[in-house]
Each structure stands twice: as C-alpha cells, then as structure tokens.
Amino acid sequence: MKYFLGVDFGGSSSKATLLGEDGKVYAVSSCEYPTYYPENGWAEQDAEDSYRALVKNVREILHKSQVSPAAICALSLDAATHTAVLLDEKDQPARRAIYWTDTRSAPQAARLKEELGSEIIRECYNSVSSLWTLPQLMWLKENEPETIKKTKKILAVKDYVRFRLTGDYITDSIEAMGFLLLDARNNTWSNRYCALAGIDPKILPPIISPTAPLSPLTKKAREDTGLTENTLVIAGATDTVMEIYAAGAVSVGQATVKLATAGRICSITDHAVVDPRLVTYRHVAKGLWYPGTATKSCAASNRWYRDTFGGSFSQLTEEAGKIPRGCQGLFFHPYLQGEITPYLDDKLRASFTGAAGFHTKAHFNRAVLEGVAYSMKDCMETLKELQIAPTSATAIGGGAGSALWRQILCDMLNIPLQTVENADSSLGSAMLAGVAAGAFSSHEDAVKRCVRPTGETLPDPEGVAFYHERFSLYKRIQAALAPIYHDL
C-alpha cells in the first residue's frame, strides 16, 4: 500500500491527513498554535509555530497509523494565503507574519485603491484591500523600514515550512496570486508593484506548478519528522483550493459553500471572473478557476461569541435550535474585523440590533448563526449579479457539521447543500500528492476514489420565504450603521 500525506496550516491549528492509494483516510492529527493580537485590528502568527506543528503532526500520524515511513510516497502542504513570512540573510523570520485578517494596512490599501485600483484589478485579477500582501508590505515600508531593509526572501506560510523541509525557495502559481504582486495575465512578478512595496522582485520566489516535484527531505527534516528520503515533496497550493478539491469540485458549474473561520462561496468556472467584490484564483485542475465571495468572520463569529459569553458549541447550538426563525426581531451583523464581499470595508463592525427585554441568551445564540448566514446570502446576491451563482453546492468547513446551521444556510441561499465525509484541505493536499506520485491518474480519478458523499440538505420553503423577506431588514441595518462605524 502506498500512502500520501497532506498537511494544512489554518488560522488556529495545523491538521495532517494520511491517505492510502485505495482512497481511504488512515490517520489524522492536529496541533493548535496561537494567533497574536498585539493591537486592535492586528493579527500575527509565528512561522516557527507552523513548522513545530508539522513535526508534531507527522510524528503523531506515524505513531497512530503504524505505517512505515518508507511507505509514505508523497507529501503536500497548504495554508491560508496572504500571510507572508519575511526572512533575513540567515533565512530566519525577520518578524512575525502578518495574518490575512489583519487590518492595519487599511490606510495603505485605501490609498493604493484610489491611485491604482482599476489597474491592479485588471492585472492582478483582484481588488485592493488590507488582506493582501502588497498593502501589508507598504505598511511595513512606512512603519518598520528596518524590517523591509533586512528582508532577503519572502515566502507564504506553507512555502516557508516546505523551505525548512527541502531547502527549495519556490511558490506555486495559485499561492502567488495572493500577494497582489503578480501580473496574473503573464504569471510573473510585477516590478512596479514590488517597487511600491519597497522590495526587489528578485527576493520573491520562482513560480511553479502545484504538482511539481521538489528536492528530497533534508537530513534535518528527516530527523525532525521521522520521514525518509523516499517521500516525494511537491509544491502544493492554497487551503481554499485544496478544500474545494477535497469536496470534489473539479468541473465547471460545481461549487462549495464554506462555514469556517471565514465564509466563502466558490463557483468553478473555465475563466477568470474579475470583479472587485470577488476573490479570484486558479484551480489546480488545468484551465479552471474558482472565483468566490468571502465574508471575513464566519465561524470566527461563533467562536468569538462562545469565548466571550461562555458555553460549548454543542450547548449553544442546542439552545439556538429552540428559538424560532428570526430570533423574534434580533439581528446580528458579523463584521468583527470589517467585511469583504460585497462591501470591501475594513471599518465595518459587528453588532446585535433589536434586542428586547424578553430576549434570552438562546436568542443571541441563534442570531449569530443567522447573522453569518445573512452575510453569506449577501455574498450569493453578488454571484447572482455576475451570473455565476450555483444552483447547488457542497457545504464544507467545521460549521457545516451543524445540522441547524446548515439548514439555516440552506434556506437562506435557497439551494441544496450536499455534504461529504471529509472536505478538509489536508485531505485535498494528500489527494494532490497522490496525483503527483502517479497513484491517481487524474484529478477526476482522485475525486472518484477519495470523495465520499454523506447526505443532502434541502431548502425548506417556509424558511426560504421567511429569510427572503427579512433580508431587506438586514441590509437596511447595515446601511444605517455603516456611517457610524466609520466615525467610531
């Protein structure tokens, strides 16, 4: 039996999945690490935490599965985009990585958007906001010039971890789009945008295919992980495309709806759909793209609510299920860190609106679930305008495991939502490793052998009608409060 290892680096933890050539998952492991919030609106991660998490996960996978390290034929990594690791002349991180939810570069993004916004979206296929690396580097240039001066290499998180494993200084063609430093039309780094960031394009990595084979694991990496030189290491790709892949969406017209730290609706197309309200990336399947909408604080809102007001997810959901639709007039807007689609506004903030004396904590529990779903409906309306809205989708992310939340979302979007056994991005990376190693003949073959449907949630006509009517109130509240958020 041949095995393939996929490792994901998310917002709060890393997860590893061991996949067999028979399409079955043989072991999983996870390891948490912190995200630091040194100031309001800031979010940072220590790249060393990611490497330590990989080592722990791989060691645990080997222990759990009792699979011989020599039988692990290929390894692929993935992580969230827009999180740049800056390395000094000794290949050590020059500072903590600015995580993609960080909003400190909002002034730089606003200035850049005003001066070059139309040009950037035309060349980079994405609109300027604080989640991209370019404005983050501009912030560093203006506020930490010594950091920019000593930076000799720039890598995305998963590329840094892989650099530690093999010594290869590269990135893949999907990850490269997340820097907003790439001329996406020609797949080359832009000299002009690099100059705006205060960097020489030569310090950016060469761009290769996600399935391209790399150097063998170094002696130090083999000692750390327990793997052998038999393991093929490939370039890998981003977390979103890997979870889309793991959900089985490899054909035009398919789609995913994600309830995770961030929320996304991604439609698979055969061309780049360029619009300032979308985030547009290449797919690992040749010739395909996955333009999508994004809401910043999806499951992050639920986690914030739990951590702030107490209770477990299961308890909060159970209580929420006893409350009628609409929470008897209580609304929640999930803009804890600003919002992406459709507002592109870092200054928006979260709020509960319409609270009355009879509302209980259970009402607030449900309001959070509904508020995120309303935000996803806001995203769906954008896709409808662009004529790429899905008619069905696969629900993915941790939040999709909640039957209540999934039904609320299903009614809100008015489309069937399928579920699969495992749509984790680390599974997608393991599948990609299997394709690169030749165990799966194609991406379609990998999906056929590894993706296992588990069920379908259908829209409830009463719920669809109810949320359709209440959505206008949700929009009116957002429009009324937006100017106040800007004044805060």
Side-chain angles (χ1 to χ4, degrees):
M1 175 77 76
K2 295 179 180 178
Y3 298 89
F4 313 100
L5 190 58
V7 184
D8 164 66
F9 303 95
S12 59
S13 65
S14 171
K15 182 177 180 180
T17 295
L18 184 66
L19 178 70
E21 62 182 325
D22 59 357
K24 296 180 181 179
V25 171
Y26 282 83
V28 296
S29 177
S30 63
C31 177
E32 293 187 354
Y33 43 69
T35 296
Y36 301 92
Y37 303 95
E39 294 191 30
N40 182 37
W42 292 25
E44 300 179 348
Q45 291 187 340
D46 187 337
E48 292 303 306
D49 288 340
S50 296
Y51 183 77
R52 286 190 288 267
L54 173 130
V55 170
K56 177 184 178 298
N57 280 336
V58 173
R59 286 282 183 182
E60 191 169 304
I61 285 281
L62 293 173
H63 175 72
K64 284 182 174 181
S65 67
Q66 293 298 298
V67 166
S68 168
I72 298 180
C73 297
L75 166 68
S76 181
L77 313 181
D78 70 80
T81 47
H82 321 298
T83 304
V85 181
L86 281 54
L87 302 182
D88 62 20
E89 60 183 5
K90 295 181 179 179
D91 291 334
Q92 298 298 310
R95 72 177 321 280
R96 284 177 182 161
I98 298 177
Y99 193 58
W100 71 269
T101 58
D102 189 297
T103 60
R104 78 184 73 180
S105 62
Q108 287 76 19
R111 188 170 71 241
L112 190 61
K113 187 173 184 178
E114 181 178 354
E115 296 172 357
L116 295 170
S118 58
E119 177 183 318
I120 288 175
I121 194 170
R122 184 172 63 252
E123 295 184 0
C124 302
Y125 293 177
N126 288 290
S127 183
V128 181
S129 73
S130 62
L131 65 86
W132 303 91
T133 304
L134 172 54
Q136 294 168 1
L137 292 175
M138 291 174 64
W139 185 93
L140 290 171
K141 176 184 175 183
E142 296 171 19
N143 294 274
E144 295 182 16
E146 69 284 355
T147 299
I148 293 292
K149 185 176 180 180
K150 65 183 180 182
T151 296
K152 305 303 178 185
K153 291 184 177 75
I154 299 179
L155 286 167
V157 171
K158 69 108 169 45
D159 298 328
Y160 167 74
V161 176
R162 196 189 50 248
F163 176 66
R164 293 281 301 273
L165 294 175
T166 69
D168 292 298
Y169 179 57
I170 61 94
T171 194
D172 66 277
S173 55
I174 302 173
E175 185 82 68
M177 295 187 71
F179 288 91
L180 210 67
L181 295 168
L182 185 80
D183 183 340
R185 302 167 303 177
N186 302 305
N187 204 36
T188 57
W189 299 117
S190 166
N191 291 330
R192 183 178 186 186
Y193 301 147
C194 287
L196 291 173
I199 63 169
D200 187 328
K202 293 179 180 178
I203 72 173
L204 291 169
I207 303 166
I208 63 177
S209 165
T211 53
L214 302 178
S215 302
L217 292 167
T218 66
K219 180 181 178 182
K220 177 68 163 58
R222 296 196 301 270
E223 291 173 350
D224 286 348
T225 63
L227 296 174
T228 74
E229 58 187 9
N230 294 332
T231 301
L232 169 72
V233 181
I234 67 170
T238 66
D239 60 347
T240 300
V241 74
M242 287 296 92
E243 63 196 5
I244 289 171
Y245 189 35
V250 292
S251 301
V252 173
Q254 292 183 293
T256 57
V257 173
K258 179 181 178 181
L259 288 172
T261 299
R264 294 199 67 182
I265 306 175
C266 294
S267 296
I268 309 304
T269 64
D270 58 5
H271 62 286
V273 181
V274 180
D275 184 277
R277 296 166 294 178
L278 300 183
V279 178
T280 297
Y281 281 96
R282 293 181 176 87
H283 198 294
V284 289
K286 188 175 180 179
L288 298 185
W289 296 73
Y290 65 97
T293 53
T295 182
K296 257 190 177 181
S297 300
C298 180
S301 292
N302 207 25
R303 183 171 61 247
W304 162 80
Y305 180 78
R306 178 203 65 179
D307 294 346
T308 304
F309 299 102
S312 65
F313 285 135
S314 58
Q315 176 190 1
L316 295 174
T317 303
E318 181 182 357
E319 293 172 354
K322 300 174 182 178
I323 301 301
R325 295 187 188 99
C327 309
Q328 295 177 282
L330 183 64
F331 281 89
F332 174 70
H333 286 68
Y335 311 138
L336 291 169
Q337 292 182 294
E339 187 54 295
I340 305 175
T341 305
Y343 306 107
L344 297 173
D345 191 344
D346 290 327
K347 294 183 178 180
L348 293 182
R349 287 297 176 262
S351 64
F352 287 100
T353 311
F358 59 81
H359 282 126
T360 65
K361 184 178 178 181
H363 287 84
F364 285 83
N365 298 354
R366 185 178 180 107
V368 170
L369 302 182
E370 289 189 349
V372 170
Y374 274 122
S375 183
M376 297 287 277
K377 182 174 175 61
D378 228 351
C379 290
M380 180 67 98
E381 295 304 304
T382 297
L383 297 178
K384 287 179 179 178
E385 287 180 34
L386 298 172
Q387 298 183 336
I388 57 171
T391 56
S392 67
T394 299
I396 62 176
S402 164
L404 173 62
W405 207 358
R406 200 167 61 244
Q407 186 65 60
I408 290 171
L409 185 62
C410 186
D411 294 348
M412 198 77 72
L413 302 182
N414 192 22
I415 60 172
L417 293 177
Q418 293 82 34
T419 53
V420 294
E421 189 174 280
N422 183 356
D424 186 81
S425 51
S426 62
L427 172 61
S429 283
M431 291 164 58
L432 191 71
V435 171
F440 307 134
S441 61
S442 65
H443 296 307
E444 292 77 13
D445 182 45
V447 166
K448 182 179 179 180
R449 293 167 65 177
C450 303
V451 179
R452 292 172 168 77
T454 57
E456 183 176 49
T457 303
L458 299 175
D460 180 330
E462 290 186 8
V464 171
F466 180 87
Y467 289 125
H468 176 75
E469 180 182 354
R470 303 288 285 185
F471 182 57
S472 61
L473 280 174
Y474 177 89
K475 295 282 286 184
R476 284 168 58 192
I477 293 169
Q478 186 280 328
L481 292 180
I484 298 174
Y485 297 140
H486 281 241
D487 291 339
L488 289 177

